[in-house]
Amino acid sequence: MAQTPGPDGWTMPVAAGPPEFLPILDIPEPGRQRRLTVLFRWLLLVPQAIVLWVLSVVAFFAAVIGWFAALVTTELPGPIARYLTGYLGYDTRVTAGGTLLIDRYPPFSLHQPPDFPVLVQVRPGRLNRLAVFFRLILLIPAAVINSLLGTGWLVLCFFIWLLVLVLGRLPRPVFEATAAFVRYRFRFNAYLLMLTSAYPKYLFGEEPPGPGEQAPVSATRPLVLSALGKALLVAYLVLGLAGHVSADFAESGNDSNKTVNTAPAP
């Protein structure tokens, strides 16, 4: 317990609040991948995308109801928290497969499969009413980063797919940068869905464990990025920014082409 000074210099114990739990994503080290499943990876995931879309509609209404409930009770109702946790895990497992981090087809289940290589840990708990009320405003910086990362990865995804198809594995720097993106996306969604009070952080990973510290649990706990991995992650951000800027220019150009000249002909 923490100590706080009292009258005449004496101290009294003060119970410390529970530590903020940052959602955990465990992904194994990159290994060999079957070229046939890599070749048809995104086609095979189409059914998963359809199911995820349906689940996301339910998650939207559950999150809206949960937002009102959290304003009153400072926490999500149990059934809503369980559904959103299951949905988040499902979405993250599909994303890990779609980004070529793993070579296992995700099951159609909201429950965490015990033998699946991608593991998520979320601990819904008490929330700050003010942070809940201004959730969407607070999320703007993280949403910008998340959007840039996603767009940047999409710009390079064909080349990443081709590289895995040729090599039969995801090169380590590409794995690091992509895992950092997927983990940040996972933590962003957890905060958006009010499953955690911890703002998404540690985009560029953590320091490697020192002597006597806990050994790594997985390739993403801790997530240690090499210089090449960090450079590629920066490339995701830069390409994402370039993609958004070019899209804005194209959209403004289309709007100007649609303008009708109403001036009378001479």
Side-chain angles (χ1 to χ4, degrees):
M1 286 190 176
Q3 301 289 320
T4 183
D8 302 322
W10 57 272
T11 60
M12 61 182 296
V14 176
E20 187 179 60
F21 181 79
L22 189 63
I24 294 173
L25 173 62
D26 285 322
I27 300 177
E29 294 285 344
R32 299 291 303 177
Q33 300 202 31
R34 297 163 292 175
R35 289 183 173 87
L36 190 61
T37 61
V38 172
L39 180 63
F40 296 106
R41 178 67 54 87
W42 296 322
L43 181 62
L44 292 171
L45 288 177
V46 169
Q48 296 281 3
I50 296 173
V51 173
L52 264 178
W53 180 83
V54 175
L55 294 175
S56 69
V57 174
V58 180
F60 170 79
F61 289 104
V64 171
I65 296 172
W67 183 81
F68 283 103
L71 282 178
V72 176
T73 66
T74 72
E75 59 185 2
L76 291 176
I80 289 180
R82 286 190 292 272
Y83 175 80
L84 292 178
T85 300
Y87 165 75
L88 179 62
Y90 192 163
D91 174 80
T92 305
R93 290 189 289 272
V94 173
T95 301
T99 53
L100 302 168
L101 290 174
I102 59 170
D103 191 25
R104 285 277 302 276
Y105 195 79
F108 293 92
S109 175
L110 289 174
H111 301 290
Q112 174 70 57
D115 59 342
F116 198 77
V118 177
L119 300 174
V120 302
Q121 292 187 43
V122 181
R123 297 176 187 172
R126 300 194 70 82
L127 301 165
N128 182 288
R129 286 189 179 92
L130 202 59
V132 171
F133 186 77
F134 292 106
R135 204 62 153 199
L136 296 182
I137 297 176
L138 293 172
L139 268 174
I140 290 176
V144 171
I145 295 174
N146 187 60
S147 179
L148 293 180
L149 289 170
T151 303
W153 183 86
L154 283 174
V155 171
L156 295 177
C157 68
F158 173 77
F159 303 101
I160 295 174
W161 171 81
L162 194 61
L163 192 62
V164 179
L165 190 62
V166 172
L167 299 178
R169 65 185 304 119
L170 196 63
R172 179 73 194 191
V174 183
F175 171 86
E176 293 169 357
T178 305
F181 154 51
V182 172
R183 190 179 71 165
Y184 191 87
R185 179 182 180 274
F186 160 67
R187 288 175 173 174
F188 169 81
N189 287 330
Y191 188 78
L192 171 65
L193 297 174
M194 296 166 293
L195 293 171
T196 180
S197 60
Y199 202 78
K201 53 177 73 79
Y202 302 127
L203 172 61
F204 287 90
E206 295 87 16
E207 294 295 326
E213 296 182 357
Q214 182 181 3
V217 177
S218 67
T220 53
R221 190 167 30 137
L223 176 60
V224 180
L225 273 67
S226 62
L228 284 176
K230 291 179 180 178
L232 184 55
L233 191 57
V234 171
Y236 286 173
L237 293 169
V238 173
L239 289 172
L241 179 60
H244 282 289
V245 171
S246 61
D248 290 340
F249 273 118
E251 184 177 349
S252 58
N254 290 335
D255 290 341
S256 62
N257 291 334
K258 292 177 183 178
T259 302
V260 179
N261 186 4
T262 57

